Protein backbone atom coordinates (compact mmCIF):
# COMPACT_ATOMS: atom_id res chain seq x y z
CA UNK A 1 0.00 0.00 0.00
CA UNK A 2 1.32 3.46 -0.91
CA UNK A 3 1.62 5.87 1.99
CA UNK A 4 2.35 9.08 0.14
CA UNK A 5 1.72 10.80 -3.16
CA UNK A 6 5.42 10.57 -3.99
CA UNK A 7 5.45 6.80 -3.50
CA UNK A 8 2.33 6.48 -5.64
CA UNK A 9 3.83 8.49 -8.51
CA UNK A 10 7.10 6.55 -8.23
CA UNK A 11 5.13 3.35 -8.74
CA UNK A 12 3.21 4.86 -11.69
CA UNK A 13 6.37 6.12 -13.41
CA UNK A 14 8.13 2.82 -12.68
CA UNK A 15 5.23 0.93 -14.26
CA UNK A 16 5.35 3.16 -17.34
CA UNK A 17 9.09 2.55 -17.67
CA UNK A 18 8.58 -1.20 -17.42
CA UNK A 19 5.78 -1.15 -20.00
CA UNK A 20 7.77 1.08 -22.38
CA UNK A 21 10.66 -1.38 -22.42
CA UNK A 22 13.30 1.11 -21.28
CA UNK A 23 16.25 -0.32 -19.38
CA UNK A 24 15.93 -0.15 -15.62
CA UNK A 25 18.68 2.47 -15.24
CA UNK A 26 17.49 4.72 -18.10
CA UNK A 27 15.45 7.07 -15.91
CA UNK A 28 15.26 7.12 -12.17
CA UNK A 29 11.67 7.20 -10.97
CA UNK A 30 12.63 9.44 -8.05
CA UNK A 31 13.93 12.19 -10.36
CA UNK A 32 10.91 11.89 -12.67
CA UNK A 33 8.47 12.50 -9.83
CA UNK A 34 10.51 14.81 -7.66
CA UNK A 35 8.38 17.84 -8.55
CA UNK A 36 5.05 16.00 -8.64
CA UNK A 37 4.42 15.98 -4.93
CA UNK A 38 2.02 18.87 -4.47
CA UNK A 39 -1.49 19.34 -5.78
CA UNK A 40 -0.69 22.52 -7.71
CA UNK A 41 1.92 20.70 -9.79
CA UNK A 42 -0.45 17.83 -10.46
CA UNK A 43 -3.20 20.28 -11.43
CA UNK A 44 -0.81 22.13 -13.76
CA UNK A 45 0.27 18.88 -15.41
CA UNK A 46 -3.34 17.79 -15.91
CA UNK A 47 -4.35 21.18 -17.33
CA UNK A 48 -1.35 21.15 -19.69
CA UNK A 49 -2.41 17.70 -20.86
CA UNK A 50 -6.04 18.76 -21.42
CA UNK A 51 -4.95 21.93 -23.23
CA UNK A 52 -2.61 19.85 -25.42
CA UNK A 53 -5.44 17.50 -26.35
CA UNK A 54 -7.72 20.46 -27.11
CA UNK A 55 -5.05 22.12 -29.31
CA UNK A 56 -4.54 18.85 -31.21
CA UNK A 57 -8.30 18.56 -31.73
CA UNK A 58 -8.51 22.13 -33.03
CA UNK A 59 -5.54 21.54 -35.35
CA UNK A 60 -7.24 18.43 -36.81
CA UNK A 61 -10.67 20.07 -37.11
CA UNK A 62 -10.18 21.12 -40.77
CA UNK A 63 -9.48 17.48 -41.68
CA UNK A 64 -12.66 16.39 -39.91
CA UNK A 65 -14.70 19.03 -41.73
CA UNK A 66 -13.23 18.06 -45.12
CA UNK A 67 -13.98 14.40 -44.36
CA UNK A 68 -17.60 15.20 -43.51
CA UNK A 69 -17.98 17.29 -46.69
CA UNK A 70 -16.57 14.44 -48.81
CA UNK A 71 -18.93 11.99 -47.08
CA UNK A 72 -21.89 14.31 -47.77
CA UNK A 73 -20.89 14.77 -51.42
CA UNK A 74 -20.48 11.02 -51.86
CA UNK A 75 -23.93 10.40 -50.36
CA UNK A 76 -25.44 13.08 -52.63
CA UNK A 77 -23.75 11.64 -55.74
CA UNK A 78 -24.99 8.17 -54.82
CA UNK A 79 -28.55 9.43 -54.45
CA UNK A 80 -28.42 11.21 -57.81
CA UNK A 81 -26.95 8.20 -59.63
CA UNK A 82 -29.52 5.91 -57.99
CA UNK A 83 -32.35 8.18 -59.04
CA UNK A 84 -31.10 8.37 -62.64
CA UNK A 85 -30.60 4.58 -62.78
CA UNK A 86 -34.11 4.03 -61.44
CA UNK A 87 -35.64 6.23 -64.13
CA UNK A 88 -33.60 4.59 -66.90
CA UNK A 89 -34.44 1.08 -65.76
CA UNK A 90 -38.14 1.94 -65.44
CA UNK A 91 -38.20 3.15 -69.05
CA UNK A 92 -36.36 0.05 -70.31
CA UNK A 93 -39.35 -2.26 -69.80
CA UNK A 94 -37.33 -4.65 -67.68
CA UNK A 95 -39.01 -7.00 -65.20
CA UNK A 96 -39.59 -5.32 -61.85
CA UNK A 97 -37.67 -7.95 -59.85
CA UNK A 98 -34.61 -7.63 -62.11
CA UNK A 99 -34.82 -3.83 -61.98
CA UNK A 100 -34.96 -3.92 -58.16
CA UNK A 101 -31.98 -6.25 -58.10
CA UNK A 102 -29.92 -3.90 -60.27
CA UNK A 103 -30.89 -0.88 -58.18
CA UNK A 104 -29.73 -2.58 -54.99
CA UNK A 105 -26.28 -3.16 -56.48
Amino acid sequence: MCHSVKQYWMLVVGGILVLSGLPAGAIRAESAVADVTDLETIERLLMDSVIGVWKDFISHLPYLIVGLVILLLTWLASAIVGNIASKLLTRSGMRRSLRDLLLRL
Side-chain angles (χ1 to χ4, degrees), residues 32-68:
V33 295
D35 62 343
V36 186
T37 56
D38 59 349
L39 290 177
E40 286 129 11
T41 306
I42 294 171
E43 180 183 2
R44 180 181 48 81
L45 289 173
L46 287 174
M47 285 304 295
D48 289 346
S49 177
V50 169
I51 289 171
V53 169
W54 180 251
K55 285 181 180 179
D56 287 344
F57 173 76
I58 295 298
S59 69
H60 287 87
L61 198 56
Y63 300 116
L64 291 171
I65 292 171
V66 168
L68 288 174

Side-chain angles (χ1 to χ4, degrees), residues 84-94 98-99 102-103:
I84 291 171
S86 175
K87 289 180 182 178
L88 288 175
L89 289 175
T90 301
R91 291 182 187 165
S92 70
M94 197 179 288
L98 185 56
R99 184 177 61 219
L102 289 175
L103 286 176

Side-chain angles (χ1 to χ4, degrees), residues 9 62 69 80 91 105:
W9 283 107
V69 167
I80 291 170
R91 291 182 187 165
L105 296 176

